[in-house]
Amino acid sequence: MTATASEAAILALADRFIAAIQKGDTDTVKACYHPDARIWLNTLGQAVDRDANIEVLTGFIGRTSSRDYQDRKVRVTADGYVQQHVLHAVHVNGPLLVLPAVLVCTVKDGQIIRLEEYFDSAPLQIWREQAVTSA
């Protein structure tokens, strides 16, 4: 099946967004977000704005030497896309985080206006503890 121009643009946005996180390029991540974007995390139970999300992401990038989104599956939806992946992130102190997750993204005017992220926080908590004991 050939993607329509609209679907191709959404897939390109999804790729650009993840590639920027992998590279630690928060300027490109911010550009992928609509200025009015809201980012909801199941572990917080509330949405934050683009700047607050970039601040958290900057901290995560600073604590990791690499970030790799493996087994990515992206499906275009009527108003954006859904992505499944397994994040592999190496903490600067050594421990590896393996975190399966799902993103549900709503796209407006070629940017992500809403992102909902779903993952089990247990692997993240273990990873953080391992990072402290490895320091």
Side-chain angles (χ1 to χ4, degrees):
M1 174 184 197
T2 304
T4 66
S6 173
E7 290 171 336
I10 288 172
L11 291 170
L13 172 63
D15 288 346
R16 188 168 59 253
F17 180 72
I18 291 300
I21 296 171
Q22 289 182 145
K23 292 177 192 170
D25 179 359
T26 55
D27 289 337
T28 298
V29 173
K30 188 173 183 175
C32 289
Y33 281 135
H34 189 279
D36 298 327
R38 301 295 294 169
I39 297 85
W40 182 86
L41 307 173
N42 71 298
T43 55
L44 275 179
Q46 64 183 25
V48 298
D49 66 14
R50 176 178 72 170
D51 291 337
N53 180 255
I54 294 296
E55 185 177 323
V56 170
L57 184 58
T58 299
F60 181 72
I61 289 168
R63 288 186 298 279
T64 54
S65 57
S66 67
R67 294 149 307 279
D68 186 29
Y69 289 82
Q70 298 181 13
D71 302 321
R72 283 183 66 220
K73 296 174 186 76
V74 181
R75 303 285 184 265
V76 175
T77 63
D79 61 354
Y81 67 94
V82 174
Q83 174 178 302
Q84 290 178 275
H85 61 257
V86 180
L87 170 61
H88 290 242
V90 178
H91 196 281
V92 293
N93 292 339
L96 171 66
L97 171 65
V98 178
L99 186 68
V102 173
L103 303 179
V104 179
C105 297
T106 303
V107 175
K108 178 181 176 184
D109 300 328
Q111 295 175 300
I112 299 166
I113 192 152
R114 181 157 178 95
L115 182 148
E116 298 173 10
E117 184 174 38
Y118 299 88
F119 63 87
D120 178 359
S121 63
L124 186 60
Q125 291 169 341
I126 292 167
W127 179 70
R128 287 177 177 154
E129 292 168 7
Q130 291 171 337
V132 169
T133 59
S134 298

